[in-house]
Each structure stands twice: as structure tokens, then as C-alpha cells.
């Protein structure tokens, strides 16, 4: 496969994870356009359908990127476990990311939205019901070491702030509120505290 | 001092160093051992954002804030009355590994004051990185600062074990540097070391290359000087990226009474930097005022376009290098337009450009579409 074909396949596979109902129709049309006018035509987003397909795939791609970044993992012996409410069905992708990163650990990613847990077994990911893993997650969350780590990161986070560079518009743009609720970020609350309520209301 | 207190002091002391990217182009066919912890991501990952909107991706700390140098803008300079402390390699490694595994950070950015002797301090920094790499088996991202004045041997080791290294030039030339410190020598302590970094980075196949940082404003240097220096570094030193840090006065330093530099200046310098690095635009094309500075009330690319006789541009005939100079067209759109030109496609509608991702508001006054050119720049207001 050449680089353009790889790019096109990637777009298709990410777009398939998008919840928009029209996605199947869009995908079919773009496939037809690719057949009739070639890869350059669809990769350049010249048609409305190609542009929408690209938009679906980049939304999902960005979401995976953000989720990999913001989800926090709890550690218990050789297990790393994380939980989030995923808007898109990407929990498996997230689990795969951490399997690549920590090949020696058992990775568990709980998707509160679908009620499923994605659990690594070697390099493979198996799907289970979320309940029993959620209980396990909650029990670790209350541990002293987990709270201490959170506190430690809080100290580090606070130390990085340069007051003269405070820029609430940029901060809000970089991390829209929809991510705050999904990932329960400590720092999100900090930003929120620093911004007058009416501005927040306008933005979110 | 316990770990939390040390983090407070040593992270705060290192916060002015910039390390935006964590991405790298991994060494070809690099086989990673299975008993490792961590890996390098190909795209930059931000784990949280500060109230400034800046991304927090790395655990950014100093190994020590003890320093015999007198850089007038720096909170660690030898005259500053601050609490001094240092990490042991075990303390720092353990703390970092906990944060990394919990996915709070993407890697480590390790810098340091130079203590009493840069060679000894650099050795301690290398021992810490070696501890992480070989004892903790950490294979993720480490950005290691090279201290000014260190030996070639230390640079050799640093480029073999870090993901990225950097040495800060701080100022665009020797005379501006002399305004900032009396203890660092521009040509030998910094530029000569950077040349060694270039040599050793190539030899050791440093995955994320080497970078540098300039403080913008405190030495009254001009934007033209900054851009010229950066351009020269890209050209001669294989520099991966130059970072700019708008000067902010810090209490307790000799420069505490100086004026803060507007962030917009830093932002505009980054735009020029992008144009040089990614668009291949030469520094002589940029527009500076008679003092050698950018006009902060007008976007630099727009200012260039107004001075140029390239426009209006026929999109169906324009080359990539012409497209890239057009306001509203970035590298991705320029590539898409060029691709379509190759297929024989003729652009005739605004909607086609919009689908491509072009900013119509910015581009229309500068292009010819169906023989028509928008006559005014009203859309810019
Ligand atoms: S060498 Fe200069 S910039 Fe670096 S820590 Fe010492 S005083 Fe600060």
C-alpha cells in the first residue's frame, strides 16, 4: 500500500467509529467517488462527502488522542486500570495504546458508556462486563498511595503556572469543558475557579 | 526537605524552560525489549493544561537549583535569595516513574543549575538518566538539558541516552548575551557546545534531535536579530526547533524592574519560525519596521503578502511555494491544491476552496477565481 492508500484507509476506519447516523451513507459515496475520480480527489476533500468523512475521522482521531492523554491510571501490583465515559467507542484503542506502552503490565480500561471493560491478555484485548472491574477500580482509588500521587501531581501542576502568562481564552480553547466531565480532571476545576461564571457559561 | 517540598522548589525553578513537543521520529526498525516501561509517541501528547493554556506533558524539573552563574533574568542566579535544594537520582527517578505509570506525564524534562562546576553537575544529570534507562528500564521520552561549558564526552553520553537534548542560546549574539550575564561566554560555552551536540546527535542517532531557547526582550534585541540567529542555527547546526520565551520579570533578580514583553511578540516569532521551518520561506522575505522589529498589529504573513507583487494569484497555475505564501493557505491546503492541479482539476468555486480547508476570508483578496479578484480587504476588519 502506498502512503495515500494508508491515509485513506485510516480515515475510513476512524470514521466508522463515529456515532453519526449518516456515516454509512457518506462512506459509500466517498468510496464511489474514489473509484470514479481517484484518491487525490477524496483526500483533498473536494466534495462535501469527502470533507465530512475527513471531519468524522479527525473527530474520532482527536478524541482518541485526548483520551490517551487525559485518562489517569491507577496502579495495583502489575495492573494499570483506568475508567472514563467515552463518547465514541474507542476504549479498545486506548487499551491498545497502554499495552504498547507497558508490555509487562495488565491493562484494564473501563468504558462507563458501554458498560464494558477492555482487558489485556498478552498483546490481545478481551472484552468483559464492567461491574467487577469498577468495584476493583473504586477500591484502589481510595488507597493512600493513589491520593498521595494525586497530591504530588497537584503540587507539580501548581508549580508550573506562570501568572504573567495566564490566558483564559487559550486555556478554554485547548481543553473544552466536554473533556472535563469525561476525565474528571483536577486541573479543570482549577481553571474553572479562575474564570468568572458568565464567561464559562458563554463558552460551554 | 521532603519530596513534595523539593518538587515545589525545583519544578517552579524550572518552569521557564520550554519543551513543547514530546513527539519524535523513532529510530528505524527499533526493536524494543519486552521488559521495558514506556515508549515514544509519534505525535505530541498533552496530559493537562495550565491556566495559561500551555500544555503540561513532561515532568519538568531541575536536578538542583544551585548555581554559580549570574544570569540576570533567572530565579536561580547566584545572587538570588531562594531556598536551594537538589534531588538524588533515586528520589527523582522514583517520583517520575510513579507519575508516568499513572499517565500524568508523557516524559521527563531534566535541567539543572550548574552547581559549583558544570562538569560535575552534568555528570549527576547523566547518572540520573542512566538510572532511569538501565535500572528502571524506562524507554519513554527524556529531554535532557546540556549545561553550558560541559565537555564533549558528556555530550556524547547525553545524546546516546536521551530522546532530545538542548542547550539554550538565550540571546541572538555575543553582545546581547553580555547584557544578560557576566558568567557565560556565548561563542565557547554555548555555540561551540551546540556544534558538538550536532556532531554527537548524528553519531548517536538522537531520536528527537536538539533544540534551543531564546529569551525575548530583556537584552533589547530586535526581532530581526532573533530571526537571523534562529535561521543560522537551523542552517548550520541541524537544529530541530527554536523556542522563544517572552521575558517576564522575576522578583529578586537583577531584572525584576524590567518591562514584561507582550506574549504577542513571542507568538509572532513562532509564526516566522513556522514559515522558515515548514514553509521554506527565507528570512529576507519577512517584513520588519525601521527598528528591526515586527509590527505587532498585523499578522506577519499578511504583512508579507501586502508587500509582495505575487498577488493576485491564479490558483490553477500557482506553484506550491506561491500557494504557501498566500494568507489563508497553510501547508496542508497548499498540498491539496497542488495535488488537484496535477489531476487537471480547475478550481472555479469558493465552496471547493472551503472544503479544502482554505480560510476564504483571508484568501479571497489575494487570489483570482474565475477571472475575479475581491477588491477590498474589508473582510479582514
Ligand atoms: S546558568 Fe544561568 S540560567 Fe542557568 S540556572 Fe544558572 S543562573 Fe539560571
Amino acid at each position: 500500500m502506498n502512503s495515500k492508500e494508508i491515509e485513506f484507509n485510516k480515515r475510513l476506519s476512524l470514521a466508522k467509529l463515529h456515532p453519526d447516523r449518516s456515516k454509512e451513507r457518506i462512506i459509500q459515496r466517498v468510496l464511489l467517488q474514489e473509484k470514479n475520480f481517484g484518491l487525490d480527489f477524496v483526500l483533498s476533500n473536494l466534495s462535501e462527502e469527502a470533507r465530512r468523512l475527513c471531519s468524522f475521522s479527525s473527530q474520532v482521531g482527536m478524541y482518541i488522542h485526548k483520551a490517551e492523554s487525559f485518562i489517569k491510571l491507577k496502579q495495583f501490583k502489575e495492573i494499570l486500570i483506568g475508567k472514563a465515559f467515552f463518547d465514541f467507542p474507542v476504549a479498545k484503542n486506548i487499551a491498545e495504546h497502554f499495552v504498547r506502552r507497558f508490555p509487562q503490565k495488565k491493562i484494564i480500561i473501563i468504558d462507563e458508556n458501554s458498560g464494558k471493560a477492555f482487558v489485556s491478555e498478552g498483546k490481545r484485548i478481551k472484552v468483559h462486563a464492567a461491574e467487577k472491574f469498577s468495584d476493583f477500580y473504586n477500591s484502589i482509588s481510595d488507597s493512600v498511595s493513589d491520593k498521595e500521587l494525586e497530591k504530588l501531581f497537584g503540587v507539580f501542576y501548581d508549580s508550573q503556572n506562570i501568572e504573567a502568562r495566564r490566558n483564559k481564552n487559550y486555556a478554554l480553547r485547548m481543553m473544552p469543558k466536554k473533556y472535563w466531565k469525561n476525565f474528571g480532571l483536577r486541573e479543570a476545576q482549577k481553571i474553572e475557579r479562575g474564570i468568572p461564571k458568565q464567561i464559562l457559561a458563554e463558552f460551554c | 526537605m521532603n519530596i513534595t517540598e523539593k518538587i515545589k522548589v525545583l519544578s517552579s525553578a524550572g518552569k521557564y524552560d520550554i519543551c513543547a513537543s514530546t513527539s519524535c521520529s523513532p529510530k528505524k526498525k527499533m526493536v524494543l525489549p519486552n521488559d521495558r516501561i514506556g515508549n515514544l509517541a509519534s505525535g505530541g501528547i498533552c496530559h493537562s493544561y495550565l491556566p495559561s493554556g500551555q500544555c503540561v506533558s513532561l515532568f519538568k524539573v531541575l536536578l538542583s537549583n544551585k548555581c554559580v552563574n549570574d544570569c540576570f533574568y533567572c530565579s536561580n542566579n547566584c545572587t538570588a535569595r531562594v531556598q536551594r535544594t537538589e534531588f538524588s537520582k533515586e528520589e527523582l527517578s522514583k517520583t517520575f516513574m510513579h507519575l508516568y505509570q499513572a499517565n500524568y506525564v508523557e516524559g521527563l524534562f531534566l535541567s539543572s543549575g550548574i552547581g559549583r562546576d558544570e562538569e560535575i553537575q552534568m555528570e549527576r544529570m547523566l547518572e540520573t538518566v542512566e538510572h532511569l534507562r538501565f535500572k528502571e528500564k524506562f524507554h519513554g521520552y527524556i529531554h535532557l538539558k546540556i549545561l553550558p561549558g560541559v565537555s564533549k564526552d558528556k555530550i556524547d553520553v547525553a545524546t546516546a541516552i536521551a530522546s532530545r537534548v538542548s542547550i539554550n542560546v538565550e540571546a541572538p549574539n555575543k553582545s546581547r548575551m553580555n547584557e544578560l550575564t557576566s558568567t557565560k561566554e556565548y561563542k565557547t560555552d554555548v555555540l561551540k557546545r551546540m556544534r558538538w551536540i550536532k556532531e554527537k546527535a548524528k553519531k548517536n542517532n538522537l531520536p528527537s534531535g536538539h533544540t534551543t531557547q531564546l529569551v525575548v526582550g530583556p537584552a533589547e534585541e530586535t526581532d530581526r536579530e532573533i530571526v537571523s540567529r534562529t535561521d543560522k542555527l537551523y542552517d548550520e547546526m541541524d537544529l530541530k526547533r527554536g523556542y522563544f520565551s517572552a521575558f517576564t520579570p522575576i522578583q529578586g533578580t537583577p531584572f525584576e524592574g524590567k518591562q514584561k514583553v507582550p506574549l504577542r511578540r513571542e507568538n509572532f516569532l513562532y509564526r516566522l519560525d513556522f514559515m522558515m521551518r515548514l514553509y521554506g520561506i527565507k528570512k529576507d522575505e519577512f517584513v520588519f519596521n525601521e527598528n528591526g522589529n515586527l509590527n505587532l498589529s498585523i499578522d506577519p504573513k499578511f504583512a508579507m503578502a501586502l508587500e509582495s507583487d505575487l498577488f493576485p494569484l491564479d490558483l490553477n497555475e500557482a506553484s506550491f511555494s506561491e500557494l504557501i505564501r498566500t494568507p489563508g493557505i497553510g501547508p496542508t491546503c497548499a498540498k491539496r491544491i497542488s495535488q488537484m492541479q496535477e489531476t487537471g482539476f480547475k478550481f472555479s468555486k469558493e465552496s471547493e476552496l472551503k472544503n479544502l480547508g482554505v480560510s476564504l476570508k483571508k484568501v479571497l483578496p489575494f487570489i483570482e477565481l474565475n477571472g475575479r479578484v475581491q477588491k477590498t480587504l474589508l473582510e479582514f476588519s
Side-chain angles (χ1 to χ4, degrees), chain B residues 63 89 110 112 118-134 142 144-147 150-162 165:
Chain B
L63 191 63
K89 61 176 187 249
L110 184 62
S112 184
E118 64 275 355
E119 199 67 359
I120 296 172
Q121 195 56 23
M122 193 74 226
E123 180 61 34
R124 291 194 59 232
M125 292 166 78
L126 291 172
E127 282 171 6
T128 307
V129 177
E130 280 168 342
H131 186 88
L132 274 167
R133 288 285 194 233
F134 305 121
I142 298 179
L144 182 61
K145 193 58 82 183
I146 301 291
L147 301 180
V150 294
S151 68
K152 207 172 188 176
D153 288 348
K154 297 277 182 285
I155 292 175
D156 194 12
V157 179
T159 49
I161 57 177
V165 300

Side-chain angles (χ1 to χ4, degrees), chain B residues 89-150:
Chain B
K89 61 176 187 249
E90 291 84 7
E91 282 172 336
L92 195 134
S93 306
K94 204 171 146 209
T95 310
F96 167 70
M97 289 307 285
H98 279 307
L99 289 171
Y100 184 74
Q101 294 191 63
N103 204 35
Y104 278 107
V105 292
E106 188 62 18
L108 173 70
F109 179 104
L110 184 62
S111 183
S112 184
I114 67 163
R116 239 175 285 154
D117 179 292
E118 64 275 355
E119 199 67 359
I120 296 172
Q121 195 56 23
M122 193 74 226
E123 180 61 34
R124 291 194 59 232
M125 292 166 78
L126 291 172
E127 282 171 6
T128 307
V129 177
E130 280 168 342
H131 186 88
L132 274 167
R133 288 285 194 233
F134 305 121
K135 192 120 202 278
E136 303 286 352
K137 303 198 163 138
F138 175 66
H139 273 64
Y141 187 90
I142 298 179
H143 181 152
L144 182 61
K145 193 58 82 183
I146 301 291
L147 301 180
V150 294

Side-chain angles (χ1 to χ4, degrees), chain A residues 8-114:
Chain A
F8 186 55
N9 282 345
K10 194 174 158 203
R11 273 192 203 182
L12 285 174
S13 60
L14 287 174
K16 281 178 186 161
L17 296 175
H18 199 282
D20 193 292
R21 288 206 192 129
S22 61
K23 79 176 172 217
E24 284 305 333
R25 184 173 47 88
I26 302 265
I27 289 173
Q28 289 314 320
R29 287 207 186 161
V30 173
L31 284 170
L32 198 66
Q33 288 169 2
E34 191 260 327
K35 214 169 143 195
N36 292 338
F37 307 113
L39 262 181
D40 283 325
F41 183 86
V42 285
L43 284 178
S44 299
N45 292 353
L46 259 181
S47 70
E48 181 60 21
E49 291 83 4
R51 191 189 62 76
R52 285 193 68 193
L53 180 94
C54 180
S55 158
F56 288 158
S57 90
S58 60
Q59 279 175 45
V60 176
M62 273 308 288
Y63 193 86
I64 292 174
H65 192 67
K66 294 264 180 199
E68 284 171 356
S69 315
F70 288 144
I71 193 167
K72 298 292 169 267
L73 303 179
K74 316 273 178 199
Q75 184 163 16
F76 180 76
K77 294 185 178 166
E78 294 306 300
I79 298 171
L80 291 172
I81 179 168
K83 183 166 85 167
F85 186 99
F86 294 104
D87 294 321
F88 300 151
V90 297
K92 186 169 180 251
N93 304 58
I94 311 305
E96 284 165 349
H97 166 76
F98 288 112
V99 168
R100 282 193 296 275
R101 177 153 287 189
F102 305 110
Q104 295 269 300
K105 308 270 182 195
K106 188 166 198 76
I107 305 294
I108 305 171
I109 301 294
I110 303 166
D111 179 3
E112 289 183 292
N113 191 2
S114 66

